[in-house]
């Protein structure tokens, strides 16, 4: 709300009389709607623009930045001016003045490159081509030496403005600034798994922020703050609805609401996308088939696309989950994924739209290793998709586990743009209750080497299109946002949203850099706060791997809700839904053999990668049980048995959470009390759940290994029967019904 309310408060300072009235109005929402609002509540995300405390720096900023020349007019120019006013007045303690007449007095110039006066332009290198690129340059020559933010398009100016504000939040000097930025991917988007009844599949921070009931007439201020937050990290797309799609979103009644959101988001450079239910022509169109080769179906989708584009001219396109986990798709009619994707692509092509076709498919009728199925299904179609189709591929071959090797499709489809899909919401990482800094996980995937064009063929280069010269590129993140006051439930979950955006912009950014930025913008510039918190965040990902799925274990979660351990579950209808399918524990040992003696999933990687993971000498221990089935007494690098190491890893995860708690407690005096208490309580839950994971998994695996726990491990707190008896029918995030 701050974006909205702060703007109102700022207006007050210009006119004392209206100021009084405004004050009355602002008090109402603060006391009624937002009863818990206050310092440290987290609503402002990384945009809370703390006053600059360093006096010398403050003076410098005030001298340079309080007279501004900025574009006039509505839309993005208005957003830019508002953001500058909000950010600068709060950080610098004084209202900036927008120069409309004498631009030569402006210390800060935010203008399109083409509109800069010649005297400035000759001293500033042009930004790279593109409407989203920008340059921030402090002019060094001539009488007038402003700081200039310039771009070829509105979006670039907006992104440059946010970048400048971030630099100020991070207390960076301005004197010699010269930086040039261009996004490395075209589509940088959030995927909301939000249902029309406002529940969120795998959502752990409240309900959907889209209030479909009151749209299009009631505009929640959150919508704008959502768009601002996304724009501030360069996110330029949002798929509003779940991939387990409901066809109703494509009816006129809902499209009016979609249009309202699209109109609001446009000035922030944020495009709207929708999920397309493949059977929509039957469910809302009255057709008797949804066969993608049927002329009536083809015409229906074309007409539907025309209808949407008439309302939302910059509509992004459709995101599709087809023939996956019970969703309808072209295979229901004996057609292929290729037929389905291309048919939809033709419908949106005349309007410049794209189709993001998800590669998350595995079949209950296919007895081969689930990890192999998407590759087998899609790779043969390489080069056959229309130009406006992207395949959206999850980071790993199973499903958003705490650790997976990169998906073998990355690098295997030279002629098809592959879009990365990360999960920002923590379905398999402790929900919104656990502090797990995800950019560390994202970075691990992006920096993995596919070896498809020799050493250095990283996944990041597949995603940004540079490895094969793909024209269209993108990255999607499954959103962790809901109606919780601080958006993400856990304050540190905001770092995952932030970090996703930053990595979509530049897939080679380091997770450490991102953590530093987020901490400075969210907490403080005090190195005594940043250093310990950054270390804690960077360590947190390995901690969750250790206490949930160490040494390459995966998918041993309790079923359905995926809350807590369930390695014993073996009674689900589909074999690959059962955790026992993934760990394969028996009296001899544990692990999934994906080498040539097993499922041979390794053969889907480049030979160098296959050899690396396949050879026990070189396979990193983090991936051991992902690729190999090994005896309990197999010696690991430290000379101890696999069994002992398993217990030691689980214990290490628990100890790491204890360390995180100590770190947090050591900073109590430097963190706003509300924020301190909230994170502290959540860390307490994380510790309990880490112990639960350790005890439940080790007791269960002991029934196979028959060995004593290693001395390093604390004894379990309960029996295996106790852990097995735990049931959580109301754990959050499960879809109300499968469509
Ligand atoms: O991770 C699994 C989830 C499903 C999800 C599916 C998918 C939207 O358990 O809830 O459905 O993946 O990605 O399609």
């Amino acid at each position: 709300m701050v974006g909205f309310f702060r703007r109102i408060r700022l207006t007050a300072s210009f006119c004392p009389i209206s100021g009084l009235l405004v004050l009355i109005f602002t008090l109402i929402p603060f006391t009624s709607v937002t009863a818990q609002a206050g310092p440290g509540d987290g609503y402002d995300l990384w945009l809370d623009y703390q006053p600059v405390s360093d006096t010398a720096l403050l003076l410098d900023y005030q001298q340079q930045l309080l007279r501004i020349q900025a574009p006039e007019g509505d839309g993005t120019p208005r957003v830019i001016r508002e953001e500058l006013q909000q950010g600068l007045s709060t950080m610098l303690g004084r209202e900036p003045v927008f120069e409309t007449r004498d631009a030569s007095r402006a210390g800060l110039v935010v203008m399109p490159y083409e509109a800069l006066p010649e005297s400035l332009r000759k001293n500033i290198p042009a930004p790279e081509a593109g409407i989203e690129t920008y340059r921030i340059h402090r002019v060094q020559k001539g009488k007038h030496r402003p700081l200039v933010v310039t771009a070829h398009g509105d979006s670039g100016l907006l992104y440059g403005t946010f970048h400048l504000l971030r630099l100020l939040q991070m207390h960076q000097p301005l004197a010699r600034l010269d930086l040039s930025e261009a996004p490395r991917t075209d589509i940088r988007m959030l995927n909301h798994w939000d249902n029309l009844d406002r529940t969120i599949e795998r959502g752990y921070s409240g309900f959907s922020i889209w209030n479909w009931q009151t749209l299009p007439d009631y505009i929640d201020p959150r919508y704008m703050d959502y768009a601002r937050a996304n724009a501030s990290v360069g996110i330029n797309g949002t798929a509003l609805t779940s991939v387990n799609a409901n066809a109703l979103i494509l009816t006129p009644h809902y499209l009016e609401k979609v249009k309202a959101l699209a109109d609001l988001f446009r000035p922030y450079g944020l495009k709207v996308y929708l999920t397309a239910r493949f059977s929509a022509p039957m469910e809302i169109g009255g057709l008797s088939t949804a066969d993608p080769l049927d002329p009536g179906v083809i015409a229906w989708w074309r007409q539907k696309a025309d209808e949407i584009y008439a309302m939302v001219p910059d509509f992004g396109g459709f995101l599709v989950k087809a023939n996956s986990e019970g969703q309808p798709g072209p295979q229901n009619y004996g057609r292929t994924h290729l037929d389905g994707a291309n048919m939809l692509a033709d419908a949106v092509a005349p309007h410049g739209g794209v189709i993001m076709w998800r590669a998350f498919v595995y079949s209950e009728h296919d007895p081969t290793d689930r990890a192999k199925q998407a590759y087998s299904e899609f790779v043969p179609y390489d080069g056959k998709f229309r130009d406006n189709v992207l395949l959206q591929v999850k980071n790993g071959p199973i499903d958003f586990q705490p650790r997976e090797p990169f998906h073998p499709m990355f690098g295997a489809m030279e002629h098809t743009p592959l879009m990365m899909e990360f999960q920002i919401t923590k379905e398999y990482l402790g929900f919104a209750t656990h502090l797990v800094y995800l950019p560390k996980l994202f970075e691990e995937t992006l920096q993995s080497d596919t070896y498809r064009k020799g050493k250095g063929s990283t996944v990041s280069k597949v995603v940004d299109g540079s490895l094969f010269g793909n024209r269209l590129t993108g990255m999607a993140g499954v959103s962790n946002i809901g109606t919780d006051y601080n958006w993400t439930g856990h304050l540190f979950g905001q770092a995952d949203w932030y970090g996703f955006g930053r990595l979509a912009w530049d897939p080679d950014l380091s997770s450490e850099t991102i953590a530093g930025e987020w901490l400075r913008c969210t907490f403080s510039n005090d190195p005594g706060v940043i250093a310990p918190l950054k270390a804690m965040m960077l360590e947190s990902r390995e901690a969750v791997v250790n206490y949930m799925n160490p040494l390459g274990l995966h998918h041993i979660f309790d079923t359905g809700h995926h809350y807590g351990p369930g390695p014993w579950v073996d009674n689900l209808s589909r074999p690959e839904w059962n955790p026992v399918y993934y760990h394969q524990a028996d009296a001899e040992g544990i692990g999934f053999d994906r080498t040539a003696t097993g499922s041979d999933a390794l053969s889907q990687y480049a030979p160098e990668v296959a050899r690396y993971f396949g050879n026990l000498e070189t396979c990193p221990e983090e991936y051991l049980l992902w690729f190999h089935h090994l005896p309990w007494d197999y010696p690991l690098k430290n000379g101890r048995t696999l069994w002992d190491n398993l217990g030691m890893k689980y214990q290490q995860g628990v100890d790491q959470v204890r360390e995180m708690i100590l770190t947090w407690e050591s900073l109590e005096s430097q963190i706003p009390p509300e924020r301190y208490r909230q994170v502290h309580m959540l860390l307490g839950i994380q510790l309990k759940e880490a112990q639960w994971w350790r005890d439940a998994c080790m007791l269960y695996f002991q029934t196979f290994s028959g060995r004593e726990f290693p001395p390093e491990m604390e004894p379990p707190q309960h029996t295996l029967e106790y852990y097995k008896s735990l049931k959580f029918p109301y754990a959050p995030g499960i879809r109300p019904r499968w469509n």
Side-chain angles (χ1 to χ4, degrees):
M1 235 131 291
V2 154
F4 180 72
F5 291 121
R6 210 177 257 163
R7 279 196 281 278
I8 296 179
R9 277 179 289 164
L10 289 173
T11 328
S13 63
F14 286 116
C15 167
I17 298 174
S18 69
L20 188 64
L21 291 173
V22 167
L23 187 66
I24 294 165
F25 283 112
T26 50
L27 281 178
I28 296 166
F30 268 116
T31 47
S32 57
V33 182
T34 61
Q36 299 158 51
D41 60 35
Y43 180 85
D44 294 349
L45 299 159
W46 49 89
L47 297 172
D48 77 345
Y49 299 136
Q50 290 293 311
V52 175
S53 47
D54 177 316
T55 329
L57 201 61
L58 178 63
L59 276 177
D60 185 42
Y61 285 175
Q62 286 175 337
Q63 268 169 15
Q64 185 76 49
L65 303 171
L66 289 171
R67 282 189 178 279
I68 307 172
Q69 188 192 13
E72 290 175 45
D74 204 10
T76 307
R78 173 183 52 79
V79 169
I80 291 173
R81 289 193 311 273
E82 282 176 357
E83 199 66 34
L84 284 170
Q85 180 167 36
Q86 177 173 331
L88 295 176
S89 63
T90 321
M91 282 191 282
L92 309 189
R94 283 171 48 189
E95 291 296 325
V97 176
F98 289 91
E99 291 286 354
T100 42
R101 288 193 205 115
D102 187 1
S104 68
R105 283 153 49 99
L108 171 61
V109 171
V110 182
M111 289 300 276
Y113 192 70
E114 289 68 25
L116 287 175
E118 179 53 30
S119 56
L120 287 183
R121 203 167 45 207
K122 68 171 195 263
N123 290 322
I124 306 175
E128 279 178 49
I131 56 157
E132 295 184 315
T133 64
Y134 59 86
R135 180 176 281 273
I136 304 181
H137 183 91
R138 169 71 204 273
V139 178
Q140 303 291 339
K141 283 197 230 144
K143 264 212 336 264
H144 180 214
R145 298 183 179 188
L147 180 69
V148 178
V149 178
T150 189
H152 299 296
D154 276 356
S155 299
L157 276 189
L158 179 64
Y159 294 147
T161 301
F162 274 116
H163 192 148
L164 173 63
L165 290 168
R166 181 162 74 232
L167 293 174
L168 306 181
Q169 285 178 289
M170 295 170 62
H171 294 186
Q172 298 302 298
L174 307 177
R176 313 217 72 82
L177 259 187
D178 181 33
L179 59 89
S180 158
E181 284 276 335
R184 295 251 308 270
T185 61
D186 304 315
I187 301 171
R188 308 176 295 279
M189 72 184 304
L190 291 183
N191 287 182
H192 287 267
W193 285 358
D194 295 16
N195 300 310
L196 297 185
D197 63 2
R198 297 191 76 178
T199 56
I200 305 180
E201 181 151 349
R202 312 310 178 182
Y204 313 106
S205 27
F207 288 92
S208 170
I209 60 173
W210 317 132
N211 189 337
W212 296 111
Q213 180 63 24
T214 55
L215 277 166
D217 301 313
Y218 181 80
I219 300 301
D220 188 330
R222 257 197 193 237
Y223 302 150
M224 269 84 80
D225 286 330
Y226 166 84
R228 281 177 63 222
N230 282 322
S232 76
V233 289
I235 291 173
N236 66 1
T238 174
L240 303 173
T241 44
S242 175
V243 289
N244 289 325
N246 187 324
L248 285 181
I249 194 68
L250 303 177
T251 57
H253 176 68
Y254 277 97
L255 288 175
E256 284 294 337
K257 301 166 191 280
V258 171
K259 172 182 162 41
L261 289 176
D263 289 345
L264 278 176
F265 294 164
R266 191 165 298 115
Y268 299 88
L270 191 63
K271 267 190 193 182
V272 159
Y273 298 74
L274 292 176
T275 46
R277 184 158 163 89
F278 207 76
S279 48
M282 298 162 75
E283 287 159 16
I284 59 168
L287 303 191
S288 58
T289 177
D291 180 347
L293 301 191
D294 179 274
V297 171
I298 295 171
W300 188 88
W301 280 110
R302 286 202 178 199
Q303 189 277 326
K304 185 51 73 183
D306 294 348
E307 180 188 342
I308 296 174
Y309 278 95
M311 299 171 83
V312 183
D314 56 352
F315 178 65
F318 293 123
L319 166 64
V320 190
K321 172 175 178 177
N323 292 123
S324 161
E325 298 185 332
Q327 294 298 307
Q331 292 175 339
N332 297 32
Y333 308 93
R335 312 298 183 193
T336 65
H337 284 282
L338 186 66
D339 297 328
N342 284 348
M343 181 274 290
L344 286 177
D346 290 341
V348 294
H351 308 282
V354 300
I355 298 301
M356 289 155 303
W357 193 268
R358 295 179 82 231
F360 180 67
V361 301
Y362 58 99
S363 161
E364 59 196 302
H365 308 298
D366 185 344
T368 55
D369 180 1
R370 169 174 167 186
K372 293 177 74 174
Q373 295 183 25
Y375 179 106
S376 312
E377 181 77 52
F378 285 99
V379 172
Y381 299 134
D382 188 24
K384 299 190 176 133
F385 289 99
R386 299 281 193 266
D387 287 349
N388 58 336
V389 175
L390 297 113
L391 288 187
Q392 187 167 306
V393 184
K394 290 189 183 183
N395 58 291
I398 296 287
D399 193 9
F400 300 137
Q401 298 301 294
R403 169 165 280 129
E404 294 192 41
F406 68 93
H407 201 300
M409 282 174 71
F410 289 109
M413 297 186 75
E414 187 162 349
H415 306 288
T416 309
L418 294 200
M419 191 163 162
M420 172 64 76
E421 179 176 313
F422 285 125
Q423 195 179 44
I424 312 175
T425 189
K426 295 194 174 76
E427 175 181 355
Y428 296 100
L429 289 110
F431 295 3
T433 336
H434 291 207
L435 194 165
V436 180
Y437 175 60
L438 293 181
K440 185 88 181 150
L441 182 166
F442 302 160
E443 175 185 44
E444 183 174 283
T445 306
L446 290 164
Q447 294 310 317
S448 299
D449 199 337
T450 70
Y451 276 87
R452 287 297 177 179
K453 287 184 100 181
K455 193 168 163 42
S457 307
T458 55
V459 172
S460 69
K461 290 185 184 155
V462 177
V463 171
D464 76 7
S466 60
L467 193 67
F468 300 129
N470 305 109
R471 209 182 43 83
L472 199 55
T473 55
M475 196 187 287
V478 179
S479 155
N480 62 345
I481 299 165
T483 49
D484 273 9
Y485 202 78
N486 66 8
W487 302 83
T488 52
H490 200 305
L491 184 76
F492 280 77
Q494 298 180 354
D496 302 324
W497 177 8
Y498 178 91
F500 165 77
R502 299 287 289 125
L503 281 167
W505 181 275
D506 178 355
D508 283 326
L509 268 181
S510 85
S511 62
E512 184 174 356
T513 303
I514 296 169
E517 288 178 8
W518 180 79
L519 282 167
R520 281 169 185 268
C521 296
T522 308
F523 282 92
S524 136
N525 276 284
D526 178 354
V529 174
I530 295 170
L533 287 186
K534 200 204 274 185
M536 173 176 87
M537 288 165 75
L538 292 173
E539 173 111 353
S540 62
R541 188 310 186 90
E542 209 54 42
V544 78
V545 170
N546 289 337
Y547 66 71
M548 284 187 180
N549 289 194
L551 298 175
L553 286 176
H554 49 286
H555 222 313
I556 53 175
F557 295 78
D558 201 356
T559 54
H561 48 61
H562 299 152
Y563 173 58
W568 45 80
V569 176
D570 61 359
N571 59 355
L572 299 178
S573 57
R574 292 173 61 160
E576 77 287 353
W577 280 351
N578 288 297
V580 295
Y581 171 93
Y582 296 98
H583 62 66
Q584 311 251 330
D586 55 27
E588 306 304 313
I590 182 168
F592 199 122
D593 183 2
R594 294 195 164 100
T595 69
T597 56
S599 79
D600 203 21
L602 270 171
S603 64
Q604 294 181 333
Y605 290 99
E608 293 88 339
V609 178
R611 275 199 299 274
Y612 175 67
F613 285 132
N615 180 345
L616 280 167
E617 293 298 310
T618 51
C619 180
E621 287 183 351
E622 301 92 83
Y623 294 105
L624 217 49
L625 305 179
W626 185 285
F627 289 114
H628 302 273
H629 186 84
L630 295 171
W632 293 111
D633 287 333
Y634 181 81
L636 263 54
K637 295 203 177 77
N638 61 5
R640 304 279 296 276
T641 63
L642 171 60
W643 168 248
D644 279 359
N645 270 280
L646 203 58
M648 288 155 69
K649 280 282 173 200
Y650 271 112
Q651 182 63 45
Q652 191 186 349
V654 171
D655 293 340
Q656 284 168 305
V657 179
R658 289 198 180 112
E659 281 297 315
M660 287 160 66
I661 294 176
L662 289 179
T663 302
W664 189 248
E665 288 176 346
S666 74
L667 295 169
E668 178 168 7
S669 61
Q670 292 164 81
I671 293 182
E674 197 49 48
R675 189 173 281 204
Y676 175 80
R677 274 196 297 276
Q678 193 209 28
V679 172
H680 194 244
M681 286 187 286
L682 292 174
L683 283 168
I685 299 179
Q686 187 168 357
L687 177 60
K688 264 201 209 160
E689 295 187 356
Q691 290 165 327
W692 168 29
W693 268 94
R694 177 198 61 201
D695 296 352
C697 292
M698 287 304 288
L699 282 166
Y700 168 71
F701 290 133
Q702 191 181 41
T703 63
F704 299 99
S705 81
R707 285 152 177 79
E708 295 288 317
F709 295 127
E712 290 83 354
M713 198 187 119
E714 290 163 359
Q717 294 169 340
H718 300 278
T719 62
L720 178 58
E721 289 320 306
Y722 166 81
Y723 292 115
K724 282 178 149 180
S725 74
L726 299 176
K727 296 280 173 280
F728 306 95
Y730 301 112
I734 318 186
R735 81 194 67 163
R737 65 188 169 87
W738 288 71
N739 286 306

